[in-house]
Amino acid sequence: MINSLFICHGGPTLVVEKNEYTDFLKELGKKIKPKAIVIFTAHWESEITTISSIDEGYEMIYDFYGFPKELYSIKYGAKGSTEVALKLQTMLKTHEIESRLDTKRGLDHGAWDILYLMYPKADIPVVQVSVNPELPMDKQYKLGEAIRELGQEDILVIGSGSTVHNLATVDWNVSEPKQWAVEFDNWLVEKVENNDKEALFSYGSLAPYSKLAIPREEHIVPLFIAMGSGQGNLPKLLNRSYAYGTLSYICFQF
């Protein structure tokens, strides 16, 4: 049983690209058909964990600038689920984790970019959840642990972020990955596959090129939440590829 996934959502153009990674995401969506999806997106930050609680369809948020016009016309018509949102909030409360509900925010690029590829019919309810990058990584992991029973109810938890996310280093004309990005991911993949939580919690001081790979932590936070919610399952690397020199396309199953 798959409790959770960590998925690198890449750049906004991913949704209209045709490559190894987009093919992978499309095939992954065919293999995993949950009753509902809870997605923690790096593009929604808040101090208190905030949960989308709507039953109707989401408004679209195009939280990027300067990209081709076609990206701003993409629609993803997934509905929400107040039932799942309340279930999630109850689980967090049981573990003394504060949360609140949101009835207005739309679906951001960190969520719809990958869901559009995985589930193009938009026929699975989606509950979007914020992240707080100020929390230490062990606390992020515990947040994931608090909701791991969702997997027993066929509700898939997705952490949507990136292992290497430094937009200042992206080169749109380069296909081969930069060595430092590969070395950072090598360290990360090894620690995840060996379930070395203590090392991972201190990745900032232990992993090579960590500050270059992760200048701000909002994009790696979803990895730790996904790890926690998949606790007890053997981690599995499902995909690893790169684009534009430093954009990492890694996917873990927990």
Side-chain angles (χ1 to χ4, degrees):
M1 181 179 65
I2 298 173
N3 279 15
S4 61
L5 296 168
F6 170 73
I7 302 177
C8 289
H9 58 242
T13 56
L14 181 70
V15 75
V16 294
E17 292 175 356
K18 166 73 171 149
N19 54 43
E20 174 190 343
Y21 190 51
T22 59
D23 289 346
F24 161 76
L25 289 175
K26 290 173 183 178
E27 289 302 312
L28 185 62
K30 294 176 183 178
K31 296 174 183 176
I32 305 173
K33 294 290 187 181
K35 181 175 69 176
I37 294 169
V38 169
I39 185 163
F40 290 81
T41 166
H43 285 250
W44 186 9
E45 297 180 42
S46 62
E47 184 177 353
I48 297 172
T49 300
T50 307
I51 305 163
S52 289
S53 181
I54 63 171
D55 283 319
E56 67 274 11
Y58 286 92
E59 295 292 327
M60 297 291 287
I61 298 178
Y62 304 101
D63 46 347
F64 44 83
Y65 306 95
F67 285 89
K69 288 184 179 180
E70 64 178 316
L71 294 179
Y72 302 93
S73 62
I74 287 176
K75 304 294 182 184
Y76 189 70
K79 294 184 177 181
S81 171
T82 56
E83 178 185 355
V84 174
L86 290 170
K87 186 187 301 290
L88 178 60
Q89 187 175 47
T90 298
M91 288 179 172
L92 293 175
K93 185 176 182 180
T94 300
H95 289 80
E96 300 182 341
I97 297 174
E98 185 180 4
S99 66
R100 62 188 177 198
L101 301 177
D102 179 275
T103 60
K104 296 181 179 179
R105 192 178 190 275
L107 208 62
D108 65 50
H109 141 64
W112 61 256
D113 212 22
I114 56 177
L115 295 177
Y116 185 93
L117 293 168
M118 293 176 68
Y119 303 108
K121 293 181 180 179
D123 55 355
I124 300 174
V126 175
V127 173
Q128 187 175 239
V129 191
S130 70
V131 299
N132 178 4
E134 301 302 318
L135 289 178
M137 295 306 124
D138 62 327
K139 298 288 187 183
Q140 310 285 1
Y141 185 89
K142 288 184 181 300
L143 193 158
E145 275 190 315
I147 62 171
R148 65 183 178 186
E149 291 180 7
L150 288 175
Q152 298 173 12
E153 301 185 38
D154 196 25
I155 298 172
L156 176 67
V157 174
I158 296 178
S160 175
S162 186
T163 57
V164 179
H165 190 264
N166 187 337
L167 298 183
T169 66
V170 169
D171 187 338
W172 300 103
N173 299 310
V174 171
S175 58
E176 290 299 313
K178 300 288 182 67
Q179 187 59 34
W180 62 263
V182 172
E183 289 187 32
F184 174 79
D185 276 346
N186 284 344
W187 185 93
L188 197 72
V189 168
E190 179 193 357
K191 301 306 179 187
V192 170
E193 289 185 328
N194 288 299
N195 202 28
D196 190 346
K197 296 190 290 288
E198 295 309 311
L200 287 164
F201 294 158
S202 300
Y203 85 91
S205 59
L206 298 179
Y209 304 105
S210 62
K211 301 306 179 187
L212 187 57
I214 308 290
R216 285 193 76 243
E217 293 191 304
E218 81 285 349
H219 272 73
I220 202 166
V221 160
L223 169 62
F224 290 90
I225 296 172
M227 284 175 58
S229 59
Q231 173 64 14
N233 291 344
L234 187 67
K236 185 177 180 181
L237 179 66
L238 299 183
N239 187 83
R240 181 178 178 181
S241 54
Y242 293 86
Y244 312 121
T246 63
L247 275 186
S248 178
Y249 290 159
I250 273 178
C251 178
F252 284 113
Q253 168 188 313
F254 299 99

